[in-house]
Amino acid sequence: MIAFVLRRLLWAIPTLFAVVTLSFLLMRFTPGGPFNADQALAPAVLENLKRAYRLDQPLIVQYGDYLARLLQGDLGPSYSYRDFTVTELFARALPYSLQIGGAALILALVLGVGLGALAAKRQGSALDAAVTTLSGLGLTVPSFVIAPLLSLAFAVWLGWLPAAGWGQGALSHKVLPVVALALPQIAAFARLTRAATIEALKADHIRTARAYGLPEWRVTAHALRAAGGPALSYLGPAAAALLTGSVVVETIFGIPGVGRYFVLGALNRDYALVMGTVVLVGVFVVLFNLLVDLAYAVLDPRIRHD
Amino acid sequence: MALGMPAQALTVYDRGNAGEPETLDPHLVSTVQEANLMRDLFEGLTAHDARAEVTPGAAERWEASDDGRTWTFMLRPDARWSNGDPVTAEDFVYSLRRILDPAFAAKYANLLYPILNAEKVNKGEAPKEALGIAARDARTLEIRLERPTPYFLELLTHQTTYPVHRASIERFGRDWVKPGRMVTNGAYRLAENLPNDHIRLEKNPFFHAASEVAIDVVNYVPLEDRGAALRRFQTSEIQSYDDVPAEQIAFIRRTLGDQLRIAPYVGVYYYAVNVRKAPFADPRVRRALSMALDREFIAEKVWAGTMLPAYGWVPPGFDGYAPVEASWRAMSQLEREDAALALLKEAGFDPDGQRLEVEIRYNSGENHQNTATAIADMWKAIGVDARLINADGKTHYAHLQNRGDFDVARAAWIADYRDPQNFLFLGLSDNVGFNYPGWNSPPYDALVKASDDMADPAERLATLRKAEAILVDEQPMIPILFYASKALVSHRLKGWEDNVMDIHPTRYLRLEP
């Protein structure tokens, strides 16, 4: 078990290295640079800037610089937030994304798995139809539609909640972004759980359990344990995505999280910021996939990590 | 309360700002949204009032030598930093030398090139001591110029000329802009800075006009999403916002009434034509392309009245300068199209034979796309086939600035200081960074350069006007629209005066309960 975890963590190093290298190259071969804007810079000024950020050095030197700094935990300076290093930006923004994303993850798991299981139990009922339809909607309607609609309905029309802003962390400010972030994930978990539970309820060991006359709630518990696989596989990437924030939800609800840094960094050619986000998301994905693999062993006794 | 403030109610103004600042260092910023913040935090020798007119700032008075090349500024005795230190002439010397230091790499350093030796210092060709600025004594500052610069007092309102607090910079390095460390000399001082959430400024008790500043706290709320900003305005979470979602303008007009402010603004939206190559080197072709544009339609329909049609290059709003308009302004759109067809024919093109093909490049954006589509359609009417190519902003401008090949490309210019020269210098043949078309007109260059040395304002503006007439006739840059400033301003917020610079310092605003 411990050997398995160590092996996986060791493997993460070359994986992250490859991701970093690839995104470094992709970023640099994208046309335009951090200092191209609609008000052009005087050539002399541009030269000064490039020198100051060492962008006048050969690419290989810049790459070496970046790796050397990365190994010391320094993600480099941001061009679009010049008063902060990328590390400082993440240190400030990550807690917000973790709060919103964490709450959305729990909401998605509880509601998604719950509704999915319920729908499966009552397959063909009105409830099942409702869950199936709503989850279809939740998956297909993008968050840039849902988020403004939520804000419009609950803030502008009803006046129950603030339209946006962090509001020094007041609960009322967190409700809409958490819901907006959770909705598509609730839908995904509900669909996965429903399908898997329907399968599981037909399985031999469930029939056997019923034949032995086990109470229905215990039968369902057995079925759910067997049905957890697909939802669990999905949990890894979903958790990584939710916890590292969403550019749409953060922009629309004014959450000062890390989600926007990836998109804004790419648009601004803020090289270090993009690379930093790649590393951050990479670490989260590796970590959560590892946790999910460990959880499999708990769920399915046939899987052993050794 | 924190910071030991008395527990009385503070007037707090939540000010929506259409972008997050790149930095709070006045010598490094470049965007309009950053300038809004800088204006509250700092004060230059001169400043802008509520109507964007030049008023005394840290200097209480000044005089210019007869040749207009030497200016002497007397600092006000009560000019103070937010930590109580006096603002001295030496602070300004330090600050100008700092921004022009090539190693400091300030984006906007070239704006200061009218100052004696500024360009040489900034290019590393002269030591910083050669810069034409000197402290006569603690309160007397002398600035020498390369040439008489009639807009010099206006230029001194720009953030590039703001003083910075030497002791804090030397102590904290680049961290001097952090809350608790940053020392400023404007009406406000920095209290908090949480990226993408808010920047909290508090009244600077040492500011010389502090007793006249009505708003105690101003929270700058960065709002890039215009729709979200509108919702926050509707729910009174912000009391102003310096932009509007243009696609919802009809709804905003209907529901918010006079809280929507639209006013002329000194900026031009144009298409640069690549005159380095055929057939665009032919002024007849450029003139034809320009004449075929129905600017009223673009301004009214595409931009929902948030832009104004442009028939000249320099926007209206400069005192003493009568804008130039193209000779064909008086014609109807149909007459213009006929004239354009005739011009194209002269240049060898024919709608039924050899058709002119044009590639329009523009930076991504819904309205840029709609504008390009409308223009392609208008050009079809004169037998021109247009193809649209769009790229994100960075790619688009990199392509233009690196002299990539193009036919016609979208660009824009917003005034840095209130003078027509700030628009006309774009057409100078030696303006490598900004003259995207690669236009080279010796008579134009001669006129603009000659105006630099003219001390008589009327003569100078008349000369600039002659230059503009050449540019408008030749159309290397096809002006399409003049910008209008768009803002949402709550009924509670008083003192917001519409002006062509779209400048609204918080110190002149009041917030009613």
Side-chain angles (χ1 to χ4, degrees), chain A residues 7-93:
Chain A
R7 204 164 56 237
R8 284 285 297 266
L9 287 179
L10 271 177
W11 260 113
I13 294 170
T15 309
L16 286 175
F17 175 78
V19 168
V20 164
T21 308
L22 200 65
S23 27
F24 181 88
L25 292 175
L26 273 176
M27 229 22 237
R28 294 315 173 93
F29 287 110
T30 310
F35 309 118
N36 294 110
D38 47 352
Q39 302 269 46
L41 297 177
V45 172
L46 194 60
E47 286 316 303
N48 289 343
L49 266 170
K50 285 192 171 159
R51 214 172 11 251
Y53 281 105
R54 290 175 62 87
L55 290 174
D56 57 339
Q57 301 287 317
L59 207 56
I60 185 79
V61 175
Q62 293 183 42
Y63 176 67
D65 277 357
Y66 185 78
L67 282 187
R69 278 209 282 212
L70 188 61
L71 289 177
Q72 298 160 34
D74 177 2
L75 294 170
S78 163
Y79 307 124
S80 40
Y81 299 86
R82 290 172 70 164
D83 298 343
F84 302 92
T85 62
V86 173
T87 318
E88 280 175 317
L89 284 174
F90 286 172
R92 278 164 189 250

Side-chain angles (χ1 to χ4, degrees), chain B residues 292-293 297 337 360 370-384 386 388:
Chain B
L293 302 184
F297 177 88
E337 277 172 23
I360 303 176
N370 294 343
T371 305
T373 311
I375 286 177
D377 207 47
M378 291 164 188
W379 282 349
K380 202 170 272 167
I382 57 166
V384 173
L388 309 189

Side-chain angles (χ1 to χ4, degrees), chain A residues 36-37 39 82-83 163-164 269, chain B residues 22-24 237 395 401 413:
Chain A
N36 294 110
Q39 302 269 46
R82 290 172 70 164
D83 298 343
R269 306 291 189 272
Chain B
E22 210 173 275
T23 164
L24 293 180
E237 288 166 39
T395 310
Q401 286 153 19
W413 185 258

Side-chain angles (χ1 to χ4, degrees), chain A residues 30-46 48-52 77 79-85 88-89 92-93 96 147-149 151-152 155-156 159 161-168 173 250-257 260-261 264 266-269, chain B residues 20-25 28 30 100-110 113 122-123 174-175 177-179 192-198 200 222-225 228 230-232 234-235 237 363 392-395 397-399 401-402 410-416 432-434 436:
Chain A
T30 310
F35 309 118
N36 294 110
D38 47 352
Q39 302 269 46
L41 297 177
V45 172
L46 194 60
N48 289 343
L49 266 170
K50 285 192 171 159
R51 214 172 11 251
Y79 307 124
S80 40
Y81 299 86
R82 290 172 70 164
D83 298 343
F84 302 92
T85 62
E88 280 175 317
L89 284 174
R92 278 164 189 250
Y96 300 101
L149 274 180
S151 170
L152 201 61
V156 179
L161 293 165
W166 182 249
Q168 264 125 27
H173 283 262
E250 285 182 7
T251 310
I252 288 173
F253 290 111
I255 305 294
R260 68 178 84 207
Y261 288 148
L264 287 186
L267 283 177
N268 290 326
R269 306 291 189 272
Chain B
E20 175 76 22
E22 210 173 275
T23 164
L24 293 180
D25 189 321
L28 291 173
S30 58
L100 286 162
D101 177 356
F104 183 66
K107 279 187 190 173
Y108 251 157
N110 60 312
Y113 286 0
N122 191 230
K123 287 183 173 162
R174 42 161 291 201
D175 279 344
V177 289
K178 304 255 156 125
E192 291 166 17
N193 180 4
L194 179 57
N196 298 312
D197 191 57
H198 72 281
R200 181 184 166 103
L223 290 165
E224 262 137 47
D225 185 273
L230 172 62
R231 288 190 294 277
R232 296 194 75 175
Q234 286 176 294
T235 54
E237 288 166 39
N363 50 321
D392 72 277
K394 295 277 174 190
T395 310
Y397 287 108
H399 188 79
Q401 286 153 19
N402 300 333
R410 188 253 155 195
W413 185 258
I414 309 283
D416 291 317
V432 216
F434 304 80
Y436 300 143

Side-chain angles (χ1 to χ4, degrees), chain B residues 269 271 287-303 307-311 328-329 331-337 340 370-382 478-481:
Chain B
Y269 183 108
Y271 274 9
R287 224 172 281 146
L289 291 176
S290 180
M291 287 172 86
L293 302 184
D294 186 345
R295 292 165 169 81
E296 316 285 334
F297 177 88
I298 299 172
E300 280 306 313
K301 299 297 172 198
V302 178
W303 290 86
M307 298 280 255
L308 307 164
Y311 293 92
W328 35 268
R329 162 90 209 244
M331 295 184 191
S332 73
Q333 194 58 40
L334 281 177
E335 288 168 337
R336 286 180 205 158
E337 277 172 23
N370 294 343
T371 305
T373 311
I375 286 177
D377 207 47
M378 291 164 188
W379 282 349
K380 202 170 272 167
I382 57 166
I478 299 178
I480 302 166
L481 301 161

